[in-house]
């Protein structure tokens, strides 16, 4: 019975430790703009923390990371060295004057 108890306790410990092993979102405020842009280019899409309670998904300018009808649209996020130009999936605005 002690072998069963050990296996059960090891399984329980593994299940409880798994959420702690998850990787946290990178914080754009602690990264350089060049580092942010390189990360987005190499991973194609990245979820970044941009403030105490804010985060978003940022993508490459040219690629198929956005779901239709969304397209990569310009955005600026805080970086260690100022505001950084990036792209975020958003629906295009079609309000042209007649």
């Amino acid at each position: 019975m002690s072998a069963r108890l050990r296996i059960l306790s090891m399984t329980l410990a593994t299940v409880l430790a798994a959420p702690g092993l998850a990787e946290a979102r990178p914080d754009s405020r602690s990264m350089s703009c060049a580092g942010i842009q390189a990360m987005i280019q190499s991973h194609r899409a990245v979820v970044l923390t941009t403030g105490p309670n804010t985060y978003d998904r940022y993508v490459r300018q040219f690629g198929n990371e956005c779901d239709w009808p969304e397209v990569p649209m310009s955005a600026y996020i805080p970086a260690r060295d100022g505001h950084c130009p990036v792209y975020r999936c958003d629906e295009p605005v079609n309000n042209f004057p007649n």
Side-chain angles (χ1 to χ4, degrees), residues 63-78:
N64 58 356
E65 289 77 27
C66 298
D67 293 332
W68 190 88
E70 295 180 335
V71 296
M73 302 288 280
S74 295
Y76 289 88
I77 61 174

Side-chain angles (χ1 to χ4, degrees), residues 1-3 8-9 12 14 16 18 31 33 36 41 43 45-46 50-52 56-57 60 74-75 78 86 91 96:
M1 184 96 160
S2 69
L8 180 62
S9 64
L12 183 60
T14 303
L16 292 175
M31 301 171 65
C33 185
I36 292 169
Q41 288 300 318
H43 294 284
V46 179
T50 56
D56 209 342
R57 181 174 177 263
R60 299 180 303 163
S74 295
V86 292
E91 289 191 35
F96 299 108

Side-chain angles (χ1 to χ4, degrees), residues 10-56:
M10 288 173 45
T11 303
L12 183 60
T14 303
V15 169
L16 292 175
L21 299 175
E23 186 176 331
R25 288 187 298 270
D27 191 336
S28 70
R29 299 167 297 168
S30 65
M31 301 171 65
S32 69
C33 185
I36 292 169
Q37 292 172 340
M39 180 185 286
I40 293 170
Q41 288 300 318
S42 67
H43 294 284
R44 300 171 40 141
V46 179
V47 176
L48 295 171
T49 296
T50 56
N53 300 312
T54 58
Y55 64 91
D56 209 342

